[in-house]
Each structure stands twice: as C-alpha cells, then as structure tokens.
Amino acid sequence: FRGSDYLNRVSIHLDFNTLRAEINDGEREIEIPVGYLLWERGWTLPVTLPAIERPKKPIVDYFKQGFEHVVGGYDHLAFLFGVILLVVRLRDLALLVTAFTLAHSITLALAALDVIAIPVRLAEAAIAFSIIYIGFENLLNLRHRGMRGTLQRRWITTFIFGLIHGFGFSYLLREIGLPQESMVPALLLFNLGVEAGQLTVVVAPFLMLRWCVERLNYRTWPELVGSTAVILLGMNWFYLRVVPV
C-alpha cells in the first residue's frame, strides 16, 4: 500500500484458461472473455436454472424437532409452569395440558399450512403477556383462596393462550418446511413431539411441588415464589419483544 493507492493481483481460472489481471486505484474493472470461451468450447448457457431441491428430512425427525422445541422453548415452559403451580390433582393437570395441546395444535396446523399468519413480533409479545397474566392470576388466587373456581375456568384461559403459543411453535415448522408428499404425518409427528416434551417438563415440577406442599407442609411459599418468578420472566420477555433494539 502507498497512501490511498493499492494493487490487487487476480488470477481467474476458466476451464483450462487462466486470466491474470491487476486491480489498482485507476483500474477497478476486469474484462473476462466468457463469450469467447463459450464459443471456443461450443458450450451454451441453460435457459432456466435447475430447481434446487432441499435434502429430504426423515419424517421421524419432525417428532424430535417438536420435542426439542418445547424443551428449549423457555417461554413455553414458563407458561406451563405458571399454569400448574396451583394444581393439586393429576386430573386437573391432565385437563389443563390437554386444553393447551388442543389449542396450539389448531393454530400450529393453520399457520404451518399458510391458512392463518400473524407477525412474529406480535405473537412473541402475546406469548410473553400470557406468562405475565398467569402469574398475576396465581397471586390473586393465593390471596383470595379461590383456586377451585379458578380451575373450573382456567382450562378456558389455557386454551385461549394455547392458540397464541401455537403460532410460536409454527414458526419453527415453517422454517424447516413440511414434505408435500407426507404433510399430515409430519405435522402429526411434530405435534406428538411437542406433547411429549410438555409432559416431560410438566410432570417432574408438578410432583416436586406437591411433595413440598404435602410432605413439608409448605402451603403457599412455592406457589408465591414461583408465580413471582413467572411474572418477572414474562415482563422481561415482553419488554425485549415490544421495545425496539
């Protein structure tokens, strides 16, 4: 380099021909005799480019993708954790998880098949809001001791918010794509993977919470601390997803 001057040496290989040139501050273009080389070799350029085919993903991988997405989706886990915090009976747990599964399966399928689409930013903000809402509902019911009435209607709340979470699941599925020849089985396997992931991450915390409440006689503090943590996490995600960086 000399001041603002520069000199680049370029070597271009076309078939068995080699073109060498220099680029400096005064000469910034290189002429490549592509037309002559095509004529000399008798080659022709294709009129249309060949379609680029994605490598086919084994259909079983969709189950794995659904499972991993839930286990690694901390916002979905926070929502589920908030939902089960005040649950005492396994029957109630099954009802809530089923409501969530049915709901997200509906919007997941509709979004993955391009029937319904909403902006990613809006869906992610709504998911964060659902986490905040569940946490505050838990605190209110701990204060007023009215959880039985809440459980009778919480499955409706869980179903409604599950519809929103379904859009979150769909973005990954749209990214990896659905095979045209086996779209329904792939969608079903992805849903089953999501369900398996949910059961994996829900059952252990539920049993631990019930053990703390029943054996250690801790009646409120696990729910209180857990609900507060859920609210703080939801607020943090909501801020990050709404306020532009």
Coordinates of all heavy atoms in Angstrom, one line a residue, residues 66-110:
G66 N -40.2 -31.2 17.3 CA -41.2 -30.8 18.2 C -40.8 -30.9 19.7 O -41.0 -30.0 20.5
F67 N -40.2 -32.1 20.0 CA -39.8 -32.3 21.4 C -38.7 -31.3 21.8 O -38.8 -30.7 22.9 CB -39.3 -33.7 21.5 CG -38.9 -34.1 22.9 CD1 -39.8 -34.7 23.7 CD2 -37.6 -33.9 23.3 CE1 -39.4 -35.1 25.0 CE2 -37.2 -34.2 24.6 CZ -38.1 -34.8 25.5
E68 N -37.7 -31.1 21.0 CA -36.6 -30.2 21.3 C -37.1 -28.8 21.4 O -36.6 -28.0 22.2 CB -35.5 -30.4 20.3 CG -34.8 -31.7 20.4 CD -33.7 -31.8 19.3 OE1 -33.7 -31.0 18.4 OE2 -32.9 -32.8 19.4
H69 N -38.1 -28.4 20.5 CA -38.5 -27.0 20.5 C -39.2 -26.7 21.9 O -39.0 -25.6 22.4 CB -39.5 -26.8 19.4 CG -40.0 -25.4 19.3 ND1 -39.1 -24.3 19.0 CD2 -41.2 -24.8 19.4 CE1 -39.8 -23.2 19.0 NE2 -41.1 -23.5 19.2
V70 N -40.0 -27.6 22.4 CA -40.6 -27.4 23.7 C -39.6 -27.3 24.8 O -39.6 -26.4 25.7 CB -41.7 -28.4 24.0 CG1 -42.2 -28.3 25.4 CG2 -42.8 -28.3 23.0
V71 N -38.7 -28.3 24.9 CA -37.7 -28.4 25.9 C -36.8 -27.2 25.9 O -36.3 -26.7 27.0 CB -36.9 -29.7 25.8 CG1 -35.8 -29.8 26.8 CG2 -37.8 -30.9 26.0
G72 N -36.5 -26.6 24.7 CA -35.6 -25.5 24.6 C -36.4 -24.2 24.6 O -35.8 -23.1 24.5
G73 N -37.7 -24.2 24.6 CA -38.6 -23.0 24.5 C -38.9 -22.5 25.9 O -39.9 -22.9 26.5
Y74 N -38.1 -21.7 26.4 CA -38.2 -21.3 27.8 C -39.5 -20.5 28.1 O -40.0 -20.5 29.2 CB -37.0 -20.5 28.3 CG -35.7 -21.2 28.1 CD1 -34.7 -20.8 27.3 CD2 -35.5 -22.4 28.9 CE1 -33.5 -21.6 27.1 CE2 -34.3 -23.2 28.7 CZ -33.4 -22.7 27.9 OH -32.2 -23.5 27.7
D75 N -40.0 -19.7 27.1 CA -41.2 -19.0 27.3 C -42.4 -20.0 27.4 O -43.3 -19.8 28.2 CB -41.5 -18.0 26.2 CG -41.3 -18.5 24.8 OD1 -40.9 -19.7 24.7 OD2 -41.5 -17.8 23.8
H76 N -42.4 -21.0 26.6 CA -43.5 -22.0 26.7 C -43.4 -22.7 28.0 O -44.5 -23.0 28.7 CB -43.4 -23.0 25.6 CG -43.4 -22.4 24.2 ND1 -44.5 -21.7 23.7 CD2 -42.6 -22.5 23.2 CE1 -44.3 -21.3 22.5 NE2 -43.1 -21.7 22.1
L77 N -42.2 -23.0 28.5 CA -42.0 -23.7 29.8 C -42.5 -22.9 30.9 O -43.1 -23.3 31.9 CB -40.6 -24.1 30.0 CG -40.0 -25.1 29.0 CD1 -38.6 -25.5 29.3 CD2 -40.8 -26.4 28.9
A78 N -42.2 -21.6 30.9 CA -42.6 -20.6 31.9 C -44.1 -20.6 32.0 O -44.7 -20.5 33.1 CB -42.0 -19.3 31.7
F79 N -44.8 -20.5 30.8 CA -46.3 -20.5 30.8 C -46.8 -21.8 31.5 O -47.7 -21.7 32.3 CB -46.8 -20.4 29.4 CG -48.3 -20.4 29.3 CD1 -49.0 -19.3 29.6 CD2 -48.9 -21.6 28.9 CE1 -50.4 -19.3 29.5 CE2 -50.3 -21.6 28.8 CZ -51.0 -20.5 29.1
L80 N -46.3 -22.9 31.0 CA -46.8 -24.2 31.6 C -46.6 -24.3 33.1 O -47.4 -24.8 33.8 CB -46.2 -25.4 30.9 CG -46.6 -25.6 29.4 CD1 -45.7 -26.7 28.8 CD2 -48.1 -26.1 29.4
F81 N -45.4 -23.8 33.5 CA -45.1 -23.8 34.9 C -46.0 -23.0 35.7 O -46.5 -23.4 36.8 CB -43.6 -23.4 35.1 CG -43.2 -23.4 36.6 CD1 -43.0 -24.6 37.2 CD2 -43.0 -22.2 37.3 CE1 -42.6 -24.6 38.6 CE2 -42.6 -22.2 38.6 CZ -42.4 -23.4 39.2
G82 N -46.4 -21.8 35.2 CA -47.3 -20.9 35.8 C -48.7 -21.6 35.9 O -49.4 -21.4 36.9
V83 N -49.1 -22.3 34.9 CA -50.4 -22.9 34.8 C -50.6 -24.0 35.9 O -51.6 -24.1 36.5 CB -50.7 -23.5 33.4 CG1 -51.8 -24.5 33.4 CG2 -50.9 -22.4 32.4
I84 N -49.5 -24.8 36.1 CA -49.6 -25.9 37.0 C -49.3 -25.6 38.5 O -49.4 -26.4 39.4 CB -48.7 -27.1 36.6 CG1 -47.2 -26.7 36.8 CG2 -49.0 -27.5 35.1 CD1 -46.3 -27.9 36.6
L85 N -48.9 -24.3 38.8 CA -48.4 -24.0 40.1 C -49.4 -24.3 41.2 O -49.1 -24.8 42.3 CB -47.9 -22.5 40.1 CG -46.5 -22.3 39.9 CD1 -46.2 -20.8 39.9 CD2 -45.6 -22.9 41.0
L86 N -50.7 -24.0 40.9 CA -51.7 -24.1 42.0 C -52.5 -25.4 41.8 O -53.5 -25.6 42.5 CB -52.6 -22.9 42.0 CG -52.0 -21.6 42.1 CD1 -53.0 -20.5 42.3 CD2 -51.0 -21.5 43.3
V87 N -52.1 -26.3 40.9 CA -52.8 -27.5 40.6 C -52.5 -28.5 41.7 O -51.3 -28.7 42.1 CB -52.5 -28.1 39.2 CG1 -53.2 -29.4 39.0 CG2 -52.9 -27.1 38.2
V88 N -53.5 -29.2 42.2 CA -53.3 -30.2 43.3 C -53.5 -31.6 42.7 O -52.8 -32.5 43.1 CB -54.3 -29.9 44.4 CG1 -54.1 -31.0 45.5 CG2 -54.0 -28.6 45.0
R89 N -54.5 -31.8 41.9 CA -54.9 -33.2 41.4 C -54.3 -33.5 40.0 O -54.3 -32.6 39.2 CB -56.4 -33.4 41.4 CG -57.0 -33.2 42.8 CD -58.5 -33.3 42.8 NE -59.1 -32.3 41.9 CZ -60.4 -32.2 41.8 NH1 -61.2 -33.0 42.3 NH2 -60.9 -31.2 41.0
L90 N -54.0 -34.7 39.8 CA -53.5 -35.1 38.5 C -54.6 -34.9 37.4 O -54.3 -34.6 36.3 CB -53.0 -36.6 38.5 CG -51.6 -36.8 39.0 CD1 -51.3 -38.3 39.1 CD2 -50.6 -36.2 38.0
R91 N -55.8 -35.1 37.8 CA -56.9 -34.9 36.8 C -57.0 -33.5 36.3 O -57.2 -33.3 35.1 CB -58.2 -35.3 37.5 CG -59.4 -35.2 36.6 CD -60.7 -35.7 37.3 NE -61.1 -34.7 38.3 CZ -62.1 -34.9 39.1 NH1 -62.9 -35.9 39.0 NH2 -62.4 -34.0 40.1
D92 N -56.8 -32.5 37.2 CA -56.7 -31.1 36.8 C -55.5 -30.9 35.9 O -55.6 -30.1 34.9 CB -56.7 -30.2 38.0 CG -58.0 -30.4 38.9 OD1 -59.1 -30.6 38.3 OD2 -57.9 -30.3 40.1
L93 N -54.4 -31.5 36.3 CA -53.2 -31.3 35.4 C -53.4 -31.8 34.0 O -53.1 -31.1 33.0 CB -52.0 -32.0 36.1 CG -50.7 -32.0 35.3 CD1 -50.1 -30.6 35.3 CD2 -49.7 -33.0 35.9
A94 N -54.0 -33.0 33.9 CA -54.3 -33.6 32.6 C -55.3 -32.7 31.8 O -55.1 -32.5 30.6 CB -54.9 -35.0 32.8
L95 N -56.3 -32.1 32.5 CA -57.2 -31.3 31.8 C -56.6 -30.0 31.2 O -56.8 -29.7 30.1 CB -58.4 -30.9 32.8 CG -59.4 -29.9 32.2 CD1 -60.2 -30.6 31.1 CD2 -60.3 -29.4 33.4
L96 N -55.7 -29.4 32.0 CA -55.1 -28.2 31.6 C -54.1 -28.5 30.4 O -54.0 -27.7 29.4 CB -54.3 -27.5 32.7 CG -55.3 -27.0 33.8 CD1 -54.4 -26.5 35.0 CD2 -56.1 -25.8 33.3
V97 N -53.3 -29.5 30.5 CA -52.3 -29.8 29.5 C -53.0 -30.2 28.2 O -52.6 -29.8 27.1 CB -51.4 -31.0 29.9 CG1 -50.5 -31.4 28.8 CG2 -50.5 -30.5 31.1
T98 N -54.1 -30.9 28.3 CA -54.9 -31.3 27.2 C -55.5 -30.1 26.5 O -55.5 -29.9 25.2 CB -56.1 -32.2 27.5 OG1 -55.5 -33.4 28.1 CG2 -56.9 -32.6 26.3
A99 N -56.0 -29.1 27.2 CA -56.6 -27.9 26.7 C -55.5 -27.1 25.9 O -55.7 -26.6 24.8 CB -57.2 -27.0 27.8
F100 N -54.3 -27.0 26.5 CA -53.2 -26.3 25.9 C -52.8 -27.0 24.6 O -52.5 -26.4 23.6 CB -52.0 -26.3 26.9 CG -50.8 -25.5 26.4 CD1 -50.9 -24.1 26.3 CD2 -49.6 -26.1 26.0 CE1 -49.8 -23.3 25.8 CE2 -48.6 -25.4 25.6 CZ -48.7 -24.0 25.5
T101 N -52.7 -28.4 24.6 CA -52.3 -29.1 23.5 C -53.3 -29.0 22.3 O -52.9 -28.8 21.2 CB -52.2 -30.6 23.8 OG1 -51.2 -30.8 24.8 CG2 -51.8 -31.4 22.6
L102 N -54.6 -29.1 22.6 CA -55.6 -29.0 21.6 C -55.5 -27.6 20.9 O -55.6 -27.5 19.7 CB -57.0 -29.2 22.2 CG -57.4 -30.6 22.6 CD1 -58.7 -30.7 23.3 CD2 -57.3 -31.5 21.3
A103 N -55.4 -26.6 21.8 CA -55.3 -25.2 21.2 C -54.1 -25.0 20.3 O -54.3 -24.5 19.2 CB -55.3 -24.2 22.4
H104 N -52.9 -25.3 20.8 CA -51.8 -25.0 20.0 C -51.7 -25.9 18.8 O -51.1 -25.5 17.8 CB -50.5 -25.0 20.8 CG -50.0 -26.4 21.2 ND1 -49.6 -27.4 20.3 CD2 -49.8 -26.9 22.4 CE1 -49.2 -28.4 20.9 NE2 -49.3 -28.2 22.2
S105 N -52.3 -27.1 18.8 CA -52.4 -27.9 17.6 C -53.2 -27.3 16.5 O -52.8 -27.4 15.3 CB -53.0 -29.3 18.0 OG -52.2 -30.0 18.9
I106 N -54.3 -26.6 16.9 CA -55.1 -25.9 15.9 C -54.3 -24.8 15.2 O -54.3 -24.8 13.9 CB -56.4 -25.3 16.6 CG1 -57.3 -26.5 17.1 CG2 -57.2 -24.5 15.6 CD1 -58.4 -26.0 17.9
T107 N -53.8 -23.9 15.9 CA -53.1 -22.7 15.3 C -51.8 -23.2 14.6 O -51.4 -22.6 13.6 CB -52.8 -21.6 16.3 OG1 -52.3 -22.2 17.5 CG2 -54.1 -20.9 16.6
L108 N -51.1 -24.2 15.2 CA -49.9 -24.7 14.6 C -50.2 -25.2 13.2 O -49.5 -24.9 12.3 CB -49.3 -25.8 15.5 CG -48.2 -26.7 14.9 CD1 -47.0 -25.8 14.6 CD2 -47.8 -27.8 15.9
A109 N -51.3 -26.0 13.1 CA -51.6 -26.6 11.8 C -52.0 -25.5 10.8 O -51.6 -25.4 9.6 CB -52.7 -27.6 11.9
L110 N -52.9 -24.5 11.2 CA -53.3 -23.5 10.4 C -52.2 -22.6 9.9 O -52.1 -22.2 8.7 CB -54.4 -22.6 11.1 CG -55.7 -23.3 11.4 CD1 -56.6 -22.4 12.2 CD2 -56.4 -23.8 10.1

